[in-house]
Amino acid sequence: IYPAIGAVATGVSTFLLSRSTATTPAIWMLFLLFTTGAGIGLFIQVAVLAGQNDVDGSDLGVATGALNFSKTLGGAIGSAIFGAILTASLHHQGQPTITTYIHAYSNVFLWTVPIMAASLILALIMREKPLSDEMTQVVEGTVEVPEY
């Protein structure tokens, strides 16, 4: 349920951020940015845990490394795409003013909405799997976890 809540919170808050103007109160902007970050946090951590839970204990390091690599690569690709959207929006606006920057950032925030819709769909179809016996023992504290 947390990934779905996170996708909805992020999608709604970025949509509202795309509707910001020069007169939007700063406290409202801060609230929306906080909600965006909290929403991302709700589904990123569950996705990592689901990936770690789905592999044998002997493959946990490999799975964690692959998940972290994928998150880093996705962040780099996403930053490049959203940076290109921002640059193109600024380029088409003409002379840079506060209004052109607001419009350009509004375009970036608006483009996140379909991505969050896709994330919501993936969150809803992700099968729920209980924690493995090994992970349950770790959580209960009955097994020592080696420190690396």
Side-chain angles (χ1 to χ4, degrees):
I1 189 163
Y2 292 112
I5 293 169
V8 169
T10 303
V12 169
S13 60
T14 55
F15 175 76
L16 293 173
L17 280 167
S18 75
R19 299 291 162 227
S20 300
T21 64
T23 60
T24 302
I27 193 74
W28 177 245
M29 296 288 289
L30 290 172
F31 172 75
L32 292 176
L33 291 170
F34 175 81
T35 306
T36 300
I40 291 170
L42 284 173
F43 66 81
I44 292 290
Q45 294 307 316
V46 174
V48 169
L49 182 61
Q52 291 172 333
N53 189 46
D54 206 36
V55 298
D56 291 329
S58 60
D59 295 329
L60 188 58
V62 174
T64 303
L67 290 165
N68 285 333
F69 174 74
S70 299
K71 284 192 315 183
T72 303
L73 186 61
I77 292 170
S79 295
I81 290 170
F82 289 126
I85 293 169
L86 178 65
T87 303
S89 295
L90 285 172
H91 179 71
H92 291 298
Q93 295 295 320
Q95 189 67 11
T97 63
I98 189 71
T99 305
T100 58
Y101 280 104
I102 291 171
H103 182 70
Y105 276 100
S106 293
N107 285 339
V108 172
F109 286 126
L110 195 56
W111 273 98
T112 63
V113 175
I115 294 169
M116 289 300 103
S119 296
L120 176 62
I121 292 168
L122 291 173
L124 292 174
I125 63 173
M126 183 170 62
R127 66 182 171 90
E128 186 173 337
K129 180 181 174 185
L131 283 178
S132 65
D133 291 336
E134 186 177 15
M135 286 300 192
T136 303
Q137 292 171 349
V138 169
V139 170
E140 292 171 348
T142 58
V143 174
E144 289 289 324
V145 179
E147 304 236 357
Y148 299 102

